[in-house]
Amino acid sequence: MEAVVTSPVEEHGHGHEHDHEHHESFIRKYIFSTDHKTIAKQFLGSALFFLFVGGAMALILRWQLAYPGEALPLIGSMLSDRFVSDGVVQPGFFMQMTTMHASVMIFLVIIPLAVGFFGNLCIPLMIGTDDMAFPTLNMFSFWLVPPAAFFLMIGFFHESGAAAAGWTHYPPLSVIGGFGHYMWTIGVFFVGFSSILGAVNYIATVLNKRAPGMKMFDMPLTVWALFITAILAALGTPVLAADLAILFFDQFFHSSFFIPEGWVVADYPNNGGGQPILFQHLFWFYSHPAVYIMLLPVMGVASDVLATFSRKPVYGYKAMVFAIMAIAFLGFIVWGHHMFQSGMNPLLGTTFMLSTIVIAVPSAIKTFNWLGTLWRGSITFSVPMLHALAFVATFVVGGLSGIFMAAAPADVFIHDTYFIVAHIHYVLFGGSLFGIFAGIQYWYPKLFGRRQNETWGQIHFWLTFIFFNLTFFPMHLLGIGGHMRRISDPNVYDFLKPFAGMNEFITICAIILGFAQLILVVNMLMSFKLGKKASRNPWRANSLEWAAPSPPVGHGNFDKPLRSYRGPYEFSLPGKKRDYLPQWKKPAKSESAEESAKQAAGGNGQAAGGGGH
Amino acid sequence: MLDYFPENVSSVGIEHDELFALIYYICVGIFVLVNVVLLVFLIKYRRKKGVRAYHFHGDNLVEFVWTLLPTVLFAGLGFYSDDLWTRMKYQDKVPQADVEIDVMGQQFLWHIRYPGPDGVFGDKIPAEMSSSNPFGIDPKDPNGKDDLVVQNTFNLPINKMIVVHLSSVDVLHSFFLPNFRIKNDAVPGLWIDVWFDCFKAGKYELACAELCGSGHYAMRGVVNMQSEEDYNTWLQGKYDAVTASLQPENSTAEVASPAAESTEAAEEEIVVEESVTEEEAAH
Ligand code: HEM
Ligand SMILES: [Cu+2]
Ligand SMILES: [Cu+2]
């Protein structure tokens, strides 16, 4: 590993001292590393691991729903009899599984991937710098994940079991729930801490460390999205922290912030005077923005992938940026839509209905602009592109089901049914996860210096896309049928008995969907060694990360001084031999004169309505 | 898709189903439009030899139009929906009640309170709440002595406006009547009004829709919607029993007030959780 002599950052005057040894110890290099690429890999590795943990939990849930009262195959006999009896999932264990499945997926998979992985991978490389503004802080933000996981899961080893009050952890249930619930509170606190550390770092990095010449409106949409996401996280997470702190007081010291007077629960010294709904307000004040924390980054990723593989500039770049900002702003005033039926004053329901319905507009704008990007493009169906297209198609479904729930009177029936479960999965699996897969496939060559096997990539994509839809689309029907969420045995209800067949069908599809994900991981692992060596710019894209070697050089990333001359989406310029013009490419004399003339003539080349190109 | 709804039997349900259908048709329209355009683009603009993509950054007028259209459509939908919402939930729009009951959620059953032969509910005092007196009926209030409390299965008349005062003694529950399109959380410390009518006699299931613990899935009730005469007969039978138990010669009247009796039964059910589920599953 060679120290970089002319890193652009030093040139820029923000360099950090290269006082470390050339041969870092193994621990500093691979474990407690401050290199953003290593940290990105750590986030990726841990999140993929937890993807399988959470997936296994989901399959346990699905088994019970399809075959209530039948012993779990394979693992049934291995589980402790605190969880199963004769291999049959017990209701209490089912509740632990719903809670932990969602908690793991949200806090240990999607947030770390969307924010931790993409933030670390993309921000420094795409803005052309050597590392984050605060590399040590960055290291901490990853190393808070293992304690978070520890506290979330530790309940499984206690006789009272893991948290079982749902990922939303509403009191009073979470207050009286016991050990696993208390530990859950602490675990999520760690996740929040990690998010805040990451967020301040991203904000500082984007504002201060852009390569010379790169204006804010020359940044790729991925970076824009991560930047706004960081602001969301920095503003929202402290509120969650406050909420959890109060819950913690209720759990440990019986402070009764969330517990009212007149309450019949044994063994809880109740001081009264509290209000359970307060928890929900604070929780959703963070957790609605959090759904956008999980989504905005991948919206950025999808935009970049769509542009590259249709060889076209992103349609309406500025409109896309403003839509991200609008979502972020509106995201803070819609939280009450999760509480329409909660007993909150229905007058607020009216307000939140209107704000929520408005938040669908920027999502619609983004969808139209993605279609605009494809329009008159020259589209190749590479693996990252397939995932990005699946993202667009399925996100539309999730956005539209959101409209049903946003209309408060229509939400009355479907609230807390499988309709919500379908919505969540269309936005978080169909949206976030397909976007994440697109990004993993797209930047794999850059991060690891190898290409993945294309055929297996395609097989993984098609299996995932087909079985994703077969698993989750029918859940809309269950929801319309009135099938409640978080119930371990639908057969208790006569009106749900007709859905037994559908539940079984969903389970079979879910099992295939789960196992298909092994292909992704095996393909990634095999390609470390067997993949073809990747060139610097395998996708012929324009943004700065493709100027670096694959993989980028040790600490420093770039082997040449770097400057940005234009926006990231100059594809298929007429009259040029090549169909892309990277940001780092110095303009020829005549061109630069032309550029500056254009700029003088009003607006920079990126204006949504440039038209003049 | 819409015919997956369970049968509707309430007048608010009719309006709910109409609104749902309207949103459904709008959303299906948008879905088809977007995905057809997507597919057409994918086929038409797939890479072909010698054809270059069109270098174009976008158009402000187009952006403006496709911002305005969804805004108008969605905002219109929001304002349109609000009317039904106010009539479904606004606590200052509770209609004149023909029948009033109290419903209390408790892990994992429903308590239903009728006013008793005197037709008046006893006062509720939170400090009096206990497992033998889930409603916290004031023991000093004479009106409360004859209140009738039943569990899980209860009867109501059709073609009447029924107002339910809803609360919970422990954790959150949610009062969900699928056939009536009614749902509201039961929140400890809050009394929330929920109302509905019914135009078809029959037995309808009451579900708990908010996670309330390991027995949540089995927190099932049944409401028997009867014609007014049948309902009155049923109620009279219950009330007669209450009156009998309150007779002075019955020396144990104080202890065995109907409310206490029934909750004792209920407690048994809670303790032997397993048996609740089996019983319920057998329904
Ligand atoms: C068009 C935009 C959207 C609208 C109008 C919308 C609306 C809603 C509404 C009203 C609810 C509450 C429903 C209920 O519980 O009764 C909800 C739940 C939810 N939404 Fe969205 N949503 C939108 C987009 C998204 C996105 C993009 C995500 C995530 C990436 C998301 C994630 C969730 C989750 C996780 C829940 C369930 C929370 C829970 O109860 O566990 N939504 N959405
Ligand atoms: Cu939300
Ligand atoms: Cu419940």
Side-chain angles (χ1 to χ4, degrees):
Chain A
M1 189 184 109
E2 290 227 327
V4 182
V5 192
T6 43
S7 115
V9 177
E10 276 160 30
E11 193 182 75
H12 201 39
H14 289 286
H16 69 264
E17 296 123 84
H18 281 237
D19 56 359
H20 54 73
E21 292 290 304
H22 276 220
H23 296 284
E24 293 165 306
S25 69
F26 176 84
I27 293 194
R28 292 290 293 167
K29 195 164 167 201
Y30 294 108
I31 302 185
F32 294 109
S33 168
T34 52
D35 179 5
H36 73 98
K37 297 181 293 295
T38 309
I39 297 173
K41 288 178 197 168
Q42 291 172 326
F43 270 115
L44 178 64
S46 85
L48 286 178
F49 169 74
F50 285 117
L51 180 68
F52 284 91
V53 174
M57 293 174 175
L59 293 185
I60 293 177
L61 294 172
R62 281 311 325 170
W63 179 267
Q64 167 65 16
L65 287 165
Y67 309 107
E70 284 181 39
L72 276 171
L74 304 177
I75 57 168
S77 51
M78 283 146 55
L79 291 171
S80 151
D81 53 10
R82 287 187 282 120
F83 303 135
V84 295
S85 86
D86 293 333
V88 178
V89 173
Q90 294 302 291
F93 182 52
F94 185 91
M95 264 27 284
Q96 294 172 34
M97 287 290 105
T98 43
T99 304
M100 295 310 296
H101 162 69
S103 306
V104 165
M105 287 301 190
I106 289 174
F107 297 121
L108 300 179
V109 179
I110 306 286
I111 292 183
L113 280 174
V115 186
F117 170 63
F118 283 133
N120 273 293
L121 170 64
C122 300
I123 292 180
L125 284 170
M126 292 181 112
I127 64 174
T129 186
D130 62 338
D131 206 327
M132 289 287 178
F134 310 113
T136 313
L137 209 58
N138 202 22
M139 177 184 86
F140 277 122
S141 94
F142 173 74
W143 283 105
L144 287 169
V145 173
F150 173 81
F151 283 111
L152 283 173
M153 306 273 197
I154 185 70
F156 282 120
F157 303 98
H158 186 268
E159 60 188 29
S160 65
W167 82 275
T168 47
H169 236 233
Y170 286 174
L173 188 59
S174 57
V175 170
I176 60 173
F179 180 78
H181 299 74
Y182 309 163
M183 295 300 118
W184 187 96
T185 312
I186 299 173
V188 178
F189 205 90
F190 274 97
V191 176
F193 199 10
S194 160
S195 289
I196 294 177
L197 294 188
V200 292
N201 214 345
Y202 299 164
I203 296 172
T205 308
V206 169
L207 290 179
N208 293 317
K209 297 199 64 169
R210 276 169 287 131
M214 180 177 270
K215 299 188 280 296
M216 287 299 269
F217 279 102
D218 283 345
M219 298 194 307
L221 285 170
T222 302
V223 179
W224 259 115
L226 286 161
F227 176 62
I228 305 277
T229 302
I231 297 176
L232 271 181
L235 294 177
T237 319
V239 178
L240 176 71
D243 200 24
L244 294 173
I246 303 175
L247 184 67
F248 186 84
F249 279 110
D250 270 14
Q251 289 174 329
F252 280 86
F253 308 118
H254 308 296
S255 53
S256 297
F257 282 102
F258 302 132
I259 310 295
E261 194 190 354
W263 198 57
V264 185
V265 173
D267 308 330
Y268 186 91
N270 178 22
N271 301 303
Q275 167 57 276
I277 294 182
L278 173 62
F279 176 89
Q280 301 177 24
H281 279 294
L282 295 172
F283 180 83
W284 290 113
F285 185 84
Y286 163 78
S287 290
H288 183 82
V291 306
Y292 288 107
I293 290 173
M294 295 184 265
L295 190 75
L296 290 181
V298 302
M299 286 179 149
V301 171
S303 307
D304 281 343
V305 172
L306 288 175
T308 301
F309 294 101
S310 25
R311 316 306 295 162
K312 271 198 65 191
V314 166
Y315 197 98
Y317 170 86
K318 278 206 169 147
M320 289 297 240
V321 174
F322 292 137
I324 297 176
M325 292 178 178
I327 289 180
F329 171 74
L330 292 170
F332 277 114
I333 56 168
V334 299
W335 77 88
H337 64 219
H338 297 272
M339 300 169 58
F340 286 141
Q341 325 307 336
S342 71
M344 165 182 85
N345 186 337
L347 183 65
L348 289 175
T350 297
T351 329
F352 282 117
M353 163 163 59
L354 294 175
S355 59
T356 301
I357 275 197
V358 173
I359 207 174
V361 173
S363 303
I365 296 174
K366 294 196 77 84
T367 306
F368 296 146
N369 279 307
W370 287 321
L371 294 179
T373 306
L374 296 171
W375 171 67
R376 295 185 66 181
S378 172
I379 301 168
T380 25
F381 297 97
S382 63
V383 178
M385 182 64 161
L386 288 172
H387 283 286
L389 291 168
F391 164 86
V392 175
T394 49
F395 172 70
V396 173
V397 179
L400 289 173
S401 61
I403 302 287
F404 288 80
M405 293 137 40
D411 180 63
V412 173
F413 183 85
I414 53 184
H415 173 69
D416 268 329
T417 66
Y418 263 79
F419 199 88
I420 310 300
V421 180
H423 169 76
I424 300 173
H425 288 94
Y426 265 89
V427 284
L428 288 181
F429 195 135
S432 303
L433 206 54
F434 274 119
I436 287 165
F437 287 163
I440 291 177
Q441 301 285 354
Y442 186 59
W443 282 299
Y444 184 93
K446 179 57 56 188
L447 193 55
F448 297 104
R450 303 268 181 172
R451 305 290 296 267
Q452 288 194 54
N453 181 304
E454 173 85 13
T455 317
W456 283 107
Q458 298 258 358
I459 294 173
H460 166 253
F461 168 77
W462 284 109
L463 284 176
T464 307
F465 184 69
I466 292 169
F467 286 97
F468 162 77
N469 282 296
L470 291 179
T471 303
F472 294 108
F473 197 82
M475 291 190 185
H476 292 105
L477 310 179
L478 290 182
I480 290 177
H483 194 310
M484 289 80 71
R485 274 170 95 173
R486 298 166 170 172
I487 54 169
S488 53
D489 185 356
N491 290 338
V492 167
Y493 291 91
D494 291 332
F495 79 103
L496 295 181
K497 287 196 175 126
F499 291 104
M502 197 181 282
N503 265 326
E504 193 177 344
F505 174 79
I506 290 174
T507 297
I508 293 167
C509 295
I511 293 171
I512 302 175
L513 179 65
F515 280 91
Q517 303 319 308
L518 289 172
I519 302 175
L520 173 81
V521 173
V522 171
N523 195 5
M524 279 175 72
L525 293 178
M526 300 283 280
S527 304
F528 286 157
K529 280 261 163 338
L530 302 180
K532 274 195 300 226
K533 281 235 157 39
S535 63
R536 262 174 209 250
N537 191 357
W539 313 117
R540 295 174 297 125
N542 284 336
S543 39
L544 292 183
E545 76 272 28
W546 305 109
S550 300
V553 279
H555 239 153
N557 294 338
F558 298 93
D559 52 358
K560 305 191 273 257
L562 200 62
R563 201 184 161 79
S564 159
Y565 296 95
R566 58 186 69 77
Y569 301 116
E570 297 304 324
F571 288 105
S572 304
L573 280 162
K576 289 264 167 23
K577 199 160 101 250
R578 291 196 298 183
D579 69 350
Y580 63 112
L581 181 59
Q583 288 187 281
W584 66 87
K585 195 125 192 305
K586 223 190 184 111
K589 275 261 159 54
S590 59
E591 249 180 86
S592 60
E594 209 179 286
E595 285 275 307
S596 47
K598 219 184 270 171
Q599 301 230 337
N604 71 49
Q606 286 303 323
H613 287 276
Chain B
M1 229 163 117
L2 292 174
D3 30 79
Y4 280 93
F5 270 119
E7 182 193 12
N8 171 57
V9 295
S10 79
S11 49
V12 75
I14 296 176
E15 289 187 83
H16 165 278
D17 288 3
E18 280 169 8
L19 178 69
F20 202 94
L22 173 72
I23 300 175
Y24 173 75
Y25 292 121
I26 292 175
C27 287
V28 167
I30 299 176
F31 172 79
V32 170
L33 198 77
V34 169
N35 278 293
V36 166
V37 170
L38 180 64
L39 279 180
V40 168
F41 283 4
L42 291 185
I43 294 165
K44 195 157 166 213
Y45 302 121
R46 68 186 187 279
R47 199 176 120 105
K48 294 183 207 100
K49 262 230 144 63
V51 182
R52 221 176 222 229
Y54 173 44
H55 182 84
F56 189 61
H57 280 283
D59 184 293
N60 279 340
L61 182 66
V62 175
E63 298 288 342
F64 179 75
V65 170
W66 71 34
T67 306
L68 193 67
L69 284 182
T71 311
V72 171
L73 179 68
F74 293 152
L77 194 62
F79 283 108
Y80 176 76
S81 310
D82 190 47
D83 170 55
L84 179 58
W85 176 247
T86 60
R87 284 182 290 115
M88 276 171 117
K89 293 265 175 161
Y90 270 40
Q91 298 289 300
D92 56 4
K93 296 206 177 179
V94 185
Q96 182 63 41
D98 300 317
V99 176
E100 272 182 275
I101 54 172
D102 280 355
V103 172
M104 191 66 117
Q106 180 176 11
Q107 287 178 324
F108 303 99
L109 74 163
W110 300 99
H111 300 280
I112 295 93
R113 177 166 82 134
Y114 292 83
D118 65 353
V120 186
F121 284 113
D123 278 347
K124 291 178 291 234
I125 303 182
E128 290 294 335
M129 283 168 63
S130 67
S131 42
S132 58
N133 184 3
F135 289 93
I137 301 171
D138 182 359
K140 293 198 222 49
D141 184 352
N143 293 331
K145 293 267 187 280
D146 63 346
D147 287 4
L148 168 72
V149 177
V150 299
Q151 275 74 38
N152 289 342
T153 2
F154 58 109
N155 297 29
L156 286 169
I158 57 169
N159 300 323
K160 296 279 176 201
M161 181 50 70
I162 289 137
V163 175
V164 174
H165 311 293
L166 183 65
S167 191
S168 161
V169 300
D170 41 31
V171 300
L172 301 174
H173 302 277
S174 193
F175 182 81
F176 178 30
L177 288 171
N179 301 88
F180 298 69
R181 317 296 189 244
I182 290 291
K183 184 180 288 137
N184 208 98
D185 283 9
V187 184
L190 274 186
W191 283 96
I192 298 164
D193 286 351
V194 176
W195 56 93
F196 51 89
D197 61 6
C198 172
F199 50 72
K200 189 172 167 211
K203 288 187 177 170
Y204 303 103
E205 289 176 297
L206 161 65
C208 177
E210 181 70 63
L211 172 55
C212 56
S214 53
H216 166 56
Y217 72 104
M219 191 165 156
R220 171 182 180 270
V222 173
V223 53
N224 187 359
M225 301 303 299
Q226 296 176 306
S227 68
E228 200 176 355
E229 305 85 79
D230 290 351
Y231 168 73
N232 284 335
T233 318
W234 172 82
L235 194 65
Q236 201 51 53
K238 289 278 178 192
Y239 280 178
D240 288 346
V242 172
T243 318
S245 74
L246 288 175
Q247 290 308 310
E249 57 263 40
N250 188 343
S251 54
T252 52
E254 209 64 272
V255 199
S257 95
E261 231 173 67
S262 39
T263 21
E264 263 160 37
E267 261 176 327
E268 261 171 43
E269 275 183 274
I270 306 170
V271 177
V272 206
E273 198 182 288
E274 222 77 333
S275 76
V276 177
T277 35
E278 270 162 32
E279 239 177 69
E280 293 293 319
H283 270 280

